[in-house]
Amino acid sequence: MVVTYHRPTRALIHRKAIEHNIKNEIMRLPKETELFAVVKAEGYGHGAVATAHIALEAGATGFCVATLDEAIELREAGITEPILVLSVVFPSYLSLVLDYDLSITVATKEWLEQAEDVLKDLNSELPLKLHIKVDTGMGRIGFLTEAEVQDAIAFIEASKHMLWEGLFTHFSTADELDTAYWERQNTRFTNLLNQLDHLPRYVHTSNSATALWHEGFTGNMIRFGVAMYGLNPSGRELEETYFLEPALELVSELIQVKELPAGEGIGYGETYVTPEKEWIGTVPIGYADGWLRKMQGFYVLVEGEACEVVGRVCMDQLMVRLPRSFTVGTKVTLIGKNQGAEISMQEVAEHLGTIHYEVACMISERVPRIFL
Ligand SMILES: *Cc1c(COP(=O)(O)O)cnc(C)c1O
């Protein structure tokens, strides 16, 4: 999708906010614990490469992504720090992994065996850097038992083509008030650690929520994702450990303002009819920008005032009910602050019945990300 610069709709990304969030986290970490910035999914919709550079300046020493292509994008952009791919990369792509000097995740014995065959043929001088993933209760990817992990370690260490660089797990409930399931996962992982006679370079368990709310987490590296963008991982359930400053604002402008008499339909399907004489404004953002049709009934901010989205959201535009006339070109805020009022990503998520992670990811590629 072409990025549309010649239109007033923009995602503004505040560098200072990202820096603030990372620096505050690093201050809390033990000295030997590193912060890897998670910039998967285009940096949670904020822009992966630009965010990665900001994170580096703020003190991140490595990166996590979800896919091989995301890792390659960072390398192509000049990032030389360690990059860990968190999801599974098929062994058929291992030459790329080696060429780009990436670290990847191993979650099964079959994968190791297939990888060994591929690596023998590649005959690379550099070893493949592997992080062993342990499934302690997320049920997604990873080895389940200590025996499986021991076996994987032995396999990697016996291989001339592999290096055991990391061991990690992922918590499924670290953002909840009830810590019982987190404890169970943590116990499983620490029990495993106690059984091993040596450990790799990186041992890591913490996403943002674990780093923020579980002092007893294990490891010498954290995978810091959503909180870096200034979003509370728990939504509203847990109080922020320090102020998380939201990095993204979504703004646009009124492109037409008109006064309509009573009885006029607004948008496709005539789902809203003016009950009386009303000022209606048009905003150039729609579902193709990720501003879903479900946003009908939510609101935007114009000069600090909440204005309801009326009628169906179109592909490229939507209409709002204005309290009075405004000039064309007046700023419209869809996420962020506007003259003392604010719409948070959390509020948008609540309107949609989802989490802010999804809202950040749904703002489409058509909307330019402008770094301030
Ligand atoms: C996405 C992800 C993270 C980051 O999670 P946040 O909640 O955004 O901090 C960490 N670890 C793994 C394995 C992930 O998939």
Side-chain angles (χ1 to χ4, degrees):
M1 201 184 278
V2 69
V3 183
T4 296
Y5 288 98
H6 301 96
R7 188 182 65 158
T9 303
R10 295 172 162 20
L12 308 175
I13 316 293
H14 297 276
R15 288 170 198 279
K16 282 235 161 63
I18 296 173
E19 275 171 25
H20 161 94
N21 299 324
I22 291 179
K23 284 183 174 162
N24 272 278
E25 185 56 38
I26 289 175
M27 273 195 297
R28 288 164 21 90
L29 291 174
K31 249 205 180 63
E32 66 282 4
T33 304
E34 297 182 43
L35 183 148
F36 277 25
V38 183
V39 293
K40 63 192 179 189
E42 199 58 70
Y44 295 45
H46 292 62
V49 170
T51 303
H53 284 292
I54 297 166
L56 264 187
E57 274 176 36
T61 53
F63 298 93
C64 297
V65 292
T67 69
L68 177 55
D69 300 80
E70 290 173 351
I72 292 173
E73 183 191 30
L74 294 184
R75 281 281 182 262
E76 294 281 354
I79 299 282
T80 57
E81 284 67 23
I83 300 174
L84 170 62
V85 181
L86 296 168
S87 201
V88 174
V89 176
F90 284 0
S92 50
Y93 304 126
L94 286 181
S95 68
L96 282 170
V97 174
L98 292 165
D99 285 350
Y100 284 96
D101 188 24
L102 305 170
S103 303
I104 61 174
T105 297
V106 53
T108 65
K109 179 71 180 291
E110 298 75 54
W111 186 96
L112 276 176
E113 288 164 351
Q114 289 164 16
E116 181 66 10
D117 287 344
V118 174
L119 291 168
K120 269 183 192 147
D121 290 342
L122 290 173
N123 207 16
S124 161
E125 287 182 9
L126 293 173
L128 178 69
K129 293 186 247 178
L130 294 172
H131 289 229
I132 292 178
K133 179 74 177 279
V134 188
D135 182 0
T136 54
M138 175 73 179
R140 191 166 62 179
I141 58 170
F143 295 95
L144 284 165
T145 64
E146 186 213 323
E148 283 176 13
V149 173
Q150 294 278 21
D151 189 37
I153 295 168
F155 190 101
I156 294 169
E157 296 198 321
S159 166
K160 282 190 300 220
H161 311 287
M162 296 177 179
L163 173 72
W164 183 33
E165 188 186 54
L167 181 71
F168 73 118
T169 194
H170 190 56
F171 291 109
S172 66
T173 63
D175 57 348
E176 293 176 12
L177 214 47
D178 184 344
T179 59
Y181 197 73
W182 185 91
E183 301 288 354
R184 178 168 136 185
Q185 285 195 260
N186 195 45
T187 302
R188 281 186 180 165
F189 193 73
T190 39
N191 285 347
L192 169 70
L193 290 186
N194 291 337
Q195 298 304 312
L196 303 178
D197 50 25
H198 62 296
L199 293 174
R201 166 79 182 77
Y202 297 105
V203 176
H204 48 111
T205 62
S206 299
N207 53 0
S208 299
T210 302
L212 289 172
W213 295 302
H214 297 270
E215 297 288 336
F217 69 78
T218 323
N220 55 11
M221 181 263 265
I222 68 167
R223 309 182 301 268
F224 199 56
V226 83
M228 158 168 107
Y229 305 96
L231 300 167
N232 178 336
S234 76
R236 298 184 199 269
E237 186 160 338
L238 298 172
E239 214 170 299
E240 293 174 7
T241 312
Y242 49 90
F243 171 62
L244 295 171
E245 196 174 334
L248 183 146
E249 292 196 278
L250 183 62
V251 299
S252 190
E253 291 176 6
L254 294 171
I255 54 165
Q256 182 168 352
V257 177
K258 58 199 170 280
E259 190 176 41
L260 291 178
E264 291 298 314
I266 305 290
Y268 289 114
E270 201 200 1
T271 61
Y272 180 81
V273 176
T274 52
E276 53 192 2
K277 206 156 80 165
E278 275 180 347
W279 286 96
I280 299 291
T282 304
V283 188
I285 186 168
Y287 59 78
D289 300 291
W291 216 244
L292 309 182
R293 289 170 94 234
K294 283 224 176 80
M295 296 309 289
Q296 180 171 354
F298 195 63
Y299 68 103
V300 303
L301 296 171
V302 182
E303 294 192 357
E305 293 190 65
C307 306
E308 187 184 335
V309 176
V310 290
R312 288 204 177 121
V313 173
C314 311
M315 188 184 288
D316 319 296
Q317 302 173 85
L318 57 78
M319 279 68 82
V320 295
R321 185 177 58 229
L322 301 170
R324 58 180 178 280
S325 177
F326 289 97
T327 51
V328 165
T330 300
K331 179 178 170 180
V332 174
T333 297
L334 298 113
I335 297 172
K337 292 189 180 130
N338 184 308
Q339 298 190 9
E342 183 172 4
I343 298 175
S344 68
M345 223 181 267
Q346 176 63 19
E347 266 181 273
V348 176
E350 283 164 7
H351 176 80
L352 292 173
T354 183
I355 55 172
H356 52 53
Y357 288 76
E358 198 174 34
V359 175
C361 290
M362 83 189 186
I363 301 169
S364 84
E365 203 188 327
R366 188 161 79 175
V367 178
R369 273 61 175 176
I370 308 293
F371 282 78
L372 303 175

